Amino acid sequence: MNKKLYVISGSSGVGKGTVLKEFLKRNPDFMLSVSCTTRSPRDGEVDGVNYFFISKEEFKNCIEGEKFLEWAEFAGNFYGTKKKFINQCLEEGKDIILEIDTQGALQVKKQMPEAVLIFICPPSPEALEKRLRGRHTEDEETIRKRLKIVEEELARAQYFDYKIINDNLDNAVSELENVILGEQKNA
Ligand code: ADP
Ligand code: 5GP
């Protein structure tokens, strides 16, 4: 069977979004899942494009209504992937990519063992912190919350199918291409 669902995960600030954006530029036929979140939009983020920004109440209703394929609390906010869009893409035979946290990635693998899990690693803990701070999108408290969980996230890397070190950006994008296009060839 063709493997159609790819999950990209790794610590906040490691460069998941940056690597993925480049990958999608080169491979525009892949669908990117848009998650729901209870966090506030950052400057420039657009509802329905970057995330569906919803209230805690709405999020709770989605959990109770079993609308999520997976969901997790990450550093004080809730994030989840709606089943509907994923199932629709898979039924239409489209390749889909999820960019989600490590807890969510393992939930997806449990439910869909054929999903391909890709973990993006930082070249060093120092580089990760520098990138997270250098992005200037979070306040100090949020940065600390995110850095505090890096070790437990790295410990989950062993359950992933592939690990890619995002040191040089171009190399990381090429590695991601090799992994995904290789999986498609072998499917
Ligand atoms: P994530 O999506 O994993 O939270 P981002 O994609 O937002 O991370 O990247 C965090 C910061 O690191 C951004 O400012 C981005 O420009 C920078 N970055 C991403 N990849 C690299 C890289 N290979 N080398 C240096 N900086 C990078
Ligand atoms: P950010 O607030 O920086 O956009 O995202 C924080 C973390 O939440 C990142 O690791 C990101 O991949 C993850 N995330 C985004 N969407 C989802 C989702 O739908 N489910 C889960 N479990 N994590 C998500």
Side-chain angles (χ1 to χ4, degrees), residues 6-136:
Y6 299 90
V7 180
I8 313 287
S9 197
S11 298
S12 181
V14 73
K16 301 179 294 298
T18 308
V19 172
L20 205 46
K21 198 171 157 196
E22 238 2 85
F23 174 86
L24 291 170
K25 255 194 228 164
R26 297 189 200 173
N27 301 277
D29 290 341
F30 285 82
M31 305 293 295
L32 181 65
S33 165
V34 180
S35 299
C36 297
T37 184
T38 61
R39 84 152 163 74
S40 310
R42 293 174 186 144
D43 277 352
E45 282 186 329
V46 177
D47 188 39
V49 175
N50 304 93
Y51 280 106
F52 293 105
F53 295 99
I54 63 176
S55 66
K56 281 196 175 141
E57 190 62 30
E58 284 174 276
F59 201 95
K60 201 170 140 244
N61 288 339
C62 288
I63 297 174
E64 283 167 4
E66 298 186 354
K67 303 276 188 226
F68 289 128
L69 168 66
E70 63 73 36
W71 66 271
E73 183 174 359
F74 178 89
N77 290 301
F78 291 90
Y79 298 81
T81 307
K82 286 262 186 84
K83 282 180 194 166
K84 202 173 165 186
F85 178 71
I86 305 297
N87 290 340
Q88 207 174 309
C89 287
L90 292 176
E91 273 164 26
E92 289 170 10
K94 289 181 183 150
D95 295 296
I96 181 152
I97 303 187
L98 271 56
E99 194 242 279
I100 61 176
D101 93 311
T102 54
Q103 306 169 79
L106 299 187
Q107 287 180 47
V108 171
K109 191 74 176 175
K110 236 187 207 171
Q111 296 186 57
M112 307 174 81
E114 71 281 9
V116 179
L117 264 52
I118 303 161
F119 191 92
I120 310 287
C121 311
S124 68
E126 294 77 22
L128 176 69
E129 182 164 351
K130 200 172 160 202
R131 285 181 195 172
L132 186 55
R133 290 186 181 283
R135 194 170 65 187
H136 300 295

